[in-house]
Amino acid sequence: MEYSIRNCEITDLPKLLALLQKHAEFEKAEFSPEGKEEGLKNALFGENPKLFCLVVATEETIVGYASYTFDFSTWNAQTFLYMDCLFLEEETRGFGIGEILIEKLKEIGTQNNCVNIQWQTPEFNTRAIKFYNRMGAKGKDKVRFTLTL
């Protein structure tokens, strides 16, 4: 499979939105595309980006993405890279693309003096958990809460 990994471009947003929908469905989460393209455009391409995104591009389209932000750890008193999402189309899994995305994020984290990369995945995503363990990541049992504002 021929592909490249590059930064998300504005022209990728419609396809990225479709991937977000698939990712939400996979995680059994509600998702409405309403207003998301404009929100992502502002977050990714505004004057001071709040979100960063790598995409997996084939000649025709994008087939995956990894989005991330930079945050600060009180316990470490240092910046860390937070991987918000990593998703690949089903037919692109098993080719080592996820590992390459993680390696790219490690490079970005190192370049930005991050102490570590943090992320989460649902407990039922056993395939991802095995993959992350194989990459040397360590999991923690926690419950994530969301408080709607």
Side-chain angles (χ1 to χ4, degrees):
M1 176 181 168
E2 288 192 36
Y3 67 90
S4 63
I5 296 175
R6 59 172 171 74
N7 289 323
C8 183
E9 299 170 357
I10 289 179
T11 55
D12 295 324
L13 290 178
K15 179 57 180 171
L16 180 61
L17 214 53
L19 290 173
L20 294 174
Q21 176 79 45
K22 288 181 180 183
H23 192 177
E25 288 170 6
F26 176 80
E27 291 205 4
K28 303 172 183 141
E30 290 184 29
F31 181 84
S32 168
E34 193 171 318
K36 299 287 191 309
E37 189 168 337
E38 188 64 26
L40 288 169
K41 181 179 175 185
N42 292 334
L44 288 164
F45 305 107
E47 198 170 311
N48 294 308
K50 295 180 177 130
L51 179 70
F52 303 89
C53 184
L54 299 173
V55 296
V56 181
T58 64
E59 200 170 296
E60 305 83 33
T61 190
I62 61 172
V63 295
Y65 72 100
S67 59
Y68 61 97
T69 59
F70 295 99
D71 207 335
F72 195 83
S73 168
T74 304
W75 290 354
N76 291 314
Q78 288 183 268
T79 301
F80 66 93
L81 187 149
Y82 180 75
M83 181 174 67
D84 186 51
C85 295
L86 188 154
F87 181 78
L88 295 169
E89 293 271 23
E90 181 67 37
E91 66 272 10
T92 65
R93 297 174 192 162
F95 290 100
I97 300 170
E99 188 169 341
I100 293 169
L101 281 168
I102 297 285
E103 289 300 323
K104 294 260 187 209
L105 292 176
K106 286 169 64 176
E107 289 173 21
I108 293 166
T110 299
Q111 292 165 358
N112 286 276
N113 299 312
C114 294
V115 66
N116 58 32
I117 300 174
Q118 298 180 26
W119 66 93
Q120 60 192 10
T121 196
E123 289 179 352
F124 64 78
N125 194 355
T126 56
R127 185 174 179 183
I129 292 168
K130 286 178 186 174
F131 164 69
Y132 296 140
N133 284 330
R134 195 172 67 246
M135 293 286 302
K138 304 292 180 219
K140 292 182 183 179
D141 291 333
K142 289 189 173 187
V143 177
R144 181 179 179 122
F145 291 90
T146 300
L147 183 60
T148 302
L149 304 175

